[in-house]
mmCIF file of all heavy atoms in Angstrom:
data_model
loop_
_atom_site.group_PDB
_atom_site.id
_atom_site.type_symbol
_atom_site.label_atom_id
_atom_site.label_comp_id
_atom_site.label_asym_id
_atom_site.label_seq_id
_atom_site.Cartn_x
_atom_site.Cartn_y
_atom_site.Cartn_z
ATOM 1 N N TYR A 1 9.630 4.703 -15.371
ATOM 2 C CA TYR A 1 8.206 4.311 -15.315
ATOM 3 C C TYR A 1 7.782 4.075 -13.891
ATOM 4 O O TYR A 1 8.436 3.427 -13.096
ATOM 5 C CB TYR A 1 7.984 3.025 -16.110
ATOM 6 C CG TYR A 1 6.606 2.434 -15.958
ATOM 7 C CD1 TYR A 1 5.499 3.102 -16.392
ATOM 8 C CD2 TYR A 1 6.420 1.178 -15.360
ATOM 9 C CE1 TYR A 1 4.234 2.591 -16.233
ATOM 10 C CE2 TYR A 1 5.212 0.629 -15.176
ATOM 11 C CZ TYR A 1 4.095 1.355 -15.641
ATOM 12 O OH TYR A 1 2.804 0.817 -15.484
ATOM 13 N N ARG A 2 6.623 4.670 -13.537
ATOM 14 C CA ARG A 2 6.024 4.471 -12.215
ATOM 15 C C ARG A 2 4.673 3.853 -12.429
ATOM 16 O O ARG A 2 3.753 4.519 -12.979
ATOM 17 C CB ARG A 2 5.942 5.854 -11.519
ATOM 18 C CG ARG A 2 5.435 5.767 -10.077
ATOM 19 C CD ARG A 2 6.508 5.130 -9.161
ATOM 20 N NE ARG A 2 6.174 5.401 -7.739
ATOM 21 C CZ ARG A 2 5.397 4.669 -6.998
ATOM 22 N NH1 ARG A 2 4.719 3.619 -7.523
ATOM 23 N NH2 ARG A 2 5.180 4.921 -5.720
ATOM 24 N N PRO A 3 4.435 2.626 -11.968
ATOM 25 C CA PRO A 3 3.121 1.977 -12.242
ATOM 26 C C PRO A 3 1.976 2.732 -11.572
ATOM 27 O O PRO A 3 2.140 3.321 -10.493
ATOM 28 C CB PRO A 3 3.314 0.600 -11.577
ATOM 29 C CG PRO A 3 4.814 0.382 -11.510
ATOM 30 C CD PRO A 3 5.408 1.740 -11.310
ATOM 31 N N ARG A 4 0.855 2.664 -12.224
ATOM 32 C CA ARG A 4 -0.386 3.311 -11.764
ATOM 33 C C ARG A 4 -1.528 2.343 -11.770
ATOM 34 O O ARG A 4 -1.599 1.428 -12.605
ATOM 35 C CB ARG A 4 -0.736 4.575 -12.600
ATOM 36 C CG ARG A 4 0.311 5.672 -12.510
ATOM 37 C CD ARG A 4 -0.055 6.900 -13.305
ATOM 38 N NE ARG A 4 0.927 7.944 -13.162
ATOM 39 C CZ ARG A 4 0.932 8.850 -12.220
ATOM 40 N NH1 ARG A 4 -0.074 8.828 -11.298
ATOM 41 N NH2 ARG A 4 1.890 9.779 -12.113
ATOM 42 N N LEU A 5 -2.489 2.553 -10.825
ATOM 43 C CA LEU A 5 -3.641 1.731 -10.758
ATOM 44 C C LEU A 5 -4.695 2.208 -11.750
ATOM 45 O O LEU A 5 -4.544 3.318 -12.368
ATOM 46 C CB LEU A 5 -4.232 1.832 -9.317
ATOM 47 C CG LEU A 5 -3.315 1.289 -8.223
ATOM 48 C CD1 LEU A 5 -3.948 1.522 -6.827
ATOM 49 C CD2 LEU A 5 -3.053 -0.194 -8.402
ATOM 50 N N PRO A 6 -5.751 1.430 -12.057
ATOM 51 C CA PRO A 6 -6.754 1.855 -13.055
ATOM 52 C C PRO A 6 -7.341 3.254 -12.778
ATOM 53 O O PRO A 6 -7.680 3.941 -13.748
ATOM 54 C CB PRO A 6 -7.849 0.784 -12.893
ATOM 55 C CG PRO A 6 -7.111 -0.407 -12.438
ATOM 56 C CD PRO A 6 -6.022 0.118 -11.508
ATOM 57 N N GLY A 7 -7.396 3.699 -11.542
ATOM 58 C CA GLY A 7 -7.924 4.989 -11.266
ATOM 59 C C GLY A 7 -7.003 6.154 -11.521
ATOM 60 O O GLY A 7 -7.331 7.305 -11.412
ATOM 61 N N GLY A 8 -5.705 5.832 -11.853
ATOM 62 C CA GLY A 8 -4.721 6.838 -12.148
ATOM 63 C C GLY A 8 -3.752 7.128 -10.992
ATOM 64 O O GLY A 8 -2.704 7.803 -11.186
ATOM 65 N N GLU A 9 -4.066 6.665 -9.767
ATOM 66 C CA GLU A 9 -3.192 6.903 -8.678
ATOM 67 C C GLU A 9 -1.975 6.001 -8.723
ATOM 68 O O GLU A 9 -2.005 4.935 -9.322
ATOM 69 C CB GLU A 9 -3.933 6.656 -7.333
ATOM 70 C CG GLU A 9 -4.466 5.283 -7.091
ATOM 71 C CD GLU A 9 -5.890 5.062 -7.670
ATOM 72 O OE1 GLU A 9 -6.248 5.859 -8.570
ATOM 73 O OE2 GLU A 9 -6.571 4.172 -7.189
ATOM 74 N N LEU A 10 -0.874 6.402 -8.106
ATOM 75 C CA LEU A 10 0.360 5.666 -8.131
ATOM 76 C C LEU A 10 0.179 4.310 -7.380
ATOM 77 O O LEU A 10 -0.418 4.270 -6.278
ATOM 78 C CB LEU A 10 1.484 6.425 -7.427
ATOM 79 C CG LEU A 10 2.009 7.659 -8.232
ATOM 80 C CD1 LEU A 10 3.041 8.436 -7.387
ATOM 81 C CD2 LEU A 10 2.575 7.312 -9.587
ATOM 82 N N ALA A 11 0.673 3.276 -7.989
ATOM 83 C CA ALA A 11 0.508 1.931 -7.401
ATOM 84 C C ALA A 11 1.587 1.730 -6.317
ATOM 85 O O ALA A 11 2.713 2.151 -6.457
ATOM 86 C CB ALA A 11 0.670 0.847 -8.471
ATOM 87 N N PRO A 12 1.219 1.157 -5.192
ATOM 88 C CA PRO A 12 2.175 0.867 -4.143
ATOM 89 C C PRO A 12 3.163 -0.221 -4.610
ATOM 90 O O PRO A 12 2.741 -1.229 -5.164
ATOM 91 C CB PRO A 12 1.333 0.378 -2.952
ATOM 92 C CG PRO A 12 0.051 -0.149 -3.609
ATOM 93 C CD PRO A 12 -0.143 0.718 -4.815
ATOM 94 N N MET A 13 4.455 0.022 -4.375
ATOM 95 C CA MET A 13 5.475 -0.931 -4.763
ATOM 96 C C MET A 13 6.226 -1.386 -3.517
ATOM 97 O O MET A 13 6.557 -0.535 -2.684
ATOM 98 C CB MET A 13 6.430 -0.358 -5.778
ATOM 99 C CG MET A 13 5.855 -0.058 -7.169
ATOM 100 S SD MET A 13 7.090 0.213 -8.414
ATOM 101 C CE MET A 13 7.992 1.653 -7.754
ATOM 102 N N PRO A 14 6.541 -2.687 -3.366
ATOM 103 C CA PRO A 14 7.344 -3.121 -2.206
ATOM 104 C C PRO A 14 8.736 -2.496 -2.299
ATOM 105 O O PRO A 14 9.223 -2.171 -3.358
ATOM 106 C CB PRO A 14 7.382 -4.622 -2.359
ATOM 107 C CG PRO A 14 7.016 -4.886 -3.765
ATOM 108 C CD PRO A 14 6.129 -3.784 -4.208
ATOM 109 N N TRP A 15 9.374 -2.354 -1.134
ATOM 110 C CA TRP A 15 10.660 -1.651 -1.093
ATOM 111 C C TRP A 15 11.758 -2.250 -1.987
ATOM 112 O O TRP A 15 12.522 -1.476 -2.624
ATOM 113 C CB TRP A 15 11.162 -1.509 0.348
ATOM 114 C CG TRP A 15 11.595 -2.776 1.000
ATOM 115 C CD1 TRP A 15 10.895 -3.562 1.833
ATOM 116 C CD2 TRP A 15 12.899 -3.377 0.939
ATOM 117 N NE1 TRP A 15 11.591 -4.660 2.257
ATOM 118 C CE2 TRP A 15 12.845 -4.577 1.718
ATOM 119 C CE3 TRP A 15 14.082 -3.076 0.247
ATOM 120 C CZ2 TRP A 15 13.958 -5.407 1.885
ATOM 121 C CZ3 TRP A 15 15.182 -3.902 0.436
ATOM 122 C CH2 TRP A 15 15.119 -5.073 1.198
ATOM 123 N N PRO A 16 11.822 -3.623 -2.208
ATOM 124 C CA PRO A 16 12.844 -4.093 -3.137
ATOM 125 C C PRO A 16 12.590 -3.667 -4.575
ATOM 126 O O PRO A 16 13.560 -3.384 -5.301
ATOM 127 C CB PRO A 16 12.741 -5.604 -2.979
ATOM 128 C CG PRO A 16 12.089 -5.859 -1.676
ATOM 129 C CD PRO A 16 11.140 -4.723 -1.498
ATOM 130 N N VAL A 17 11.308 -3.624 -4.971
ATOM 131 C CA VAL A 17 11.025 -3.184 -6.351
ATOM 132 C C VAL A 17 11.340 -1.699 -6.505
ATOM 133 O O VAL A 17 11.840 -1.257 -7.562
ATOM 134 C CB VAL A 17 9.574 -3.509 -6.702
ATOM 135 C CG1 VAL A 17 9.239 -3.038 -8.104
ATOM 136 C CG2 VAL A 17 9.287 -4.983 -6.591
ATOM 137 N N SER A 18 10.986 -0.876 -5.479
ATOM 138 C CA SER A 18 11.321 0.559 -5.539
ATOM 139 C C SER A 18 12.833 0.762 -5.621
ATOM 140 O O SER A 18 13.271 1.625 -6.393
ATOM 141 C CB SER A 18 10.760 1.253 -4.262
ATOM 142 O OG SER A 18 9.370 1.167 -4.233
ATOM 143 N N LEU A 19 13.575 -0.024 -4.844
ATOM 144 C CA LEU A 19 15.063 0.128 -4.918
ATOM 145 C C LEU A 19 15.568 -0.335 -6.280
ATOM 146 O O LEU A 19 16.531 0.269 -6.809
ATOM 147 C CB LEU A 19 15.655 -0.740 -3.801
ATOM 148 C CG LEU A 19 17.078 -0.364 -3.287
ATOM 149 C CD1 LEU A 19 17.080 1.098 -2.824
ATOM 150 C CD2 LEU A 19 17.477 -1.263 -2.141
ATOM 151 N N TYR A 20 14.993 -1.387 -6.844
ATOM 152 C CA TYR A 20 15.300 -1.856 -8.177
ATOM 153 C C TYR A 20 15.069 -0.742 -9.204
ATOM 154 O O TYR A 20 15.927 -0.515 -10.086
ATOM 155 C CB TYR A 20 14.451 -3.089 -8.455
ATOM 156 C CG TYR A 20 14.577 -3.720 -9.790
ATOM 157 C CD1 TYR A 20 15.782 -3.851 -10.418
ATOM 158 C CD2 TYR A 20 13.453 -4.246 -10.432
ATOM 159 C CE1 TYR A 20 15.908 -4.443 -11.660
ATOM 160 C CE2 TYR A 20 13.563 -4.868 -11.647
ATOM 161 C CZ TYR A 20 14.768 -4.963 -12.287
ATOM 162 O OH TYR A 20 14.851 -5.600 -13.496
ATOM 163 N N ARG A 21 13.996 -0.059 -9.067
ATOM 164 C CA ARG A 21 13.682 1.026 -9.981
ATOM 165 C C ARG A 21 14.698 2.164 -9.895
ATOM 166 O O ARG A 21 15.094 2.753 -10.875
ATOM 167 C CB ARG A 21 12.254 1.545 -9.693
ATOM 168 C CG ARG A 21 11.891 2.800 -10.481
ATOM 169 C CD ARG A 21 10.478 3.276 -10.140
ATOM 170 N NE ARG A 21 10.151 4.543 -10.816
ATOM 171 C CZ ARG A 21 10.384 5.697 -10.249
ATOM 172 N NH1 ARG A 21 10.921 5.819 -9.062
ATOM 173 N NH2 ARG A 21 10.064 6.799 -10.934
ATOM 174 N N ILE A 22 15.123 2.486 -8.679
ATOM 175 C CA ILE A 22 16.077 3.581 -8.441
ATOM 176 C C ILE A 22 17.486 3.241 -8.917
ATOM 177 O O ILE A 22 18.187 4.041 -9.559
ATOM 178 C CB ILE A 22 16.089 3.986 -6.960
ATOM 179 C CG1 ILE A 22 14.717 4.534 -6.552
ATOM 180 C CG2 ILE A 22 17.173 4.986 -6.658
ATOM 181 C CD1 ILE A 22 14.540 4.764 -5.067
ATOM 182 N N LEU A 23 17.968 2.007 -8.586
ATOM 183 C CA LEU A 23 19.325 1.642 -8.786
ATOM 184 C C LEU A 23 19.663 1.149 -10.216
ATOM 185 O O LEU A 23 20.809 1.238 -10.649
ATOM 186 C CB LEU A 23 19.791 0.611 -7.779
ATOM 187 C CG LEU A 23 19.792 1.012 -6.299
ATOM 188 C CD1 LEU A 23 20.136 -0.139 -5.418
ATOM 189 C CD2 LEU A 23 20.744 2.185 -6.039
ATOM 190 N N ASN A 24 18.691 0.628 -10.893
ATOM 191 C CA ASN A 24 18.986 -0.093 -12.122
ATOM 192 C C ASN A 24 18.328 0.613 -13.332
ATOM 193 O O ASN A 24 17.272 0.291 -13.772
ATOM 194 C CB ASN A 24 18.506 -1.529 -12.075
ATOM 195 C CG ASN A 24 19.180 -2.439 -13.026
ATOM 196 O OD1 ASN A 24 19.471 -2.066 -14.165
ATOM 197 N ND2 ASN A 24 19.507 -3.685 -12.618
ATOM 198 N N HIS A 25 19.037 1.602 -13.868
ATOM 199 C CA HIS A 25 18.495 2.310 -15.028
ATOM 200 C C HIS A 25 18.568 1.485 -16.294
ATOM 201 O O HIS A 25 17.895 1.747 -17.321
ATOM 202 C CB HIS A 25 19.318 3.593 -15.252
ATOM 203 C CG HIS A 25 20.691 3.403 -15.825
ATOM 204 N ND1 HIS A 25 20.968 3.339 -17.183
ATOM 205 C CD2 HIS A 25 21.888 3.163 -15.218
ATOM 206 C CE1 HIS A 25 22.222 3.147 -17.353
ATOM 207 N NE2 HIS A 25 22.802 3.013 -16.191
#
């Protein structure tokens, strides 16, 4: 899952959350 803003564009995520998304399936 990649969070999106109400307009449909990808939401910015801080680097720890991005790393969390990548490393922890």
Side-chain angles (χ1 to χ4, degrees):
Y1 172 65
R2 186 70 165 85
R4 295 181 178 273
L5 297 176
E9 61 272 23
L10 292 175
M13 293 194 299
W15 69 264
V17 179
S18 297
L19 205 56
Y20 178 39
R21 173 181 175 268
I22 294 170
L23 295 177
N24 202 322
H25 74 89

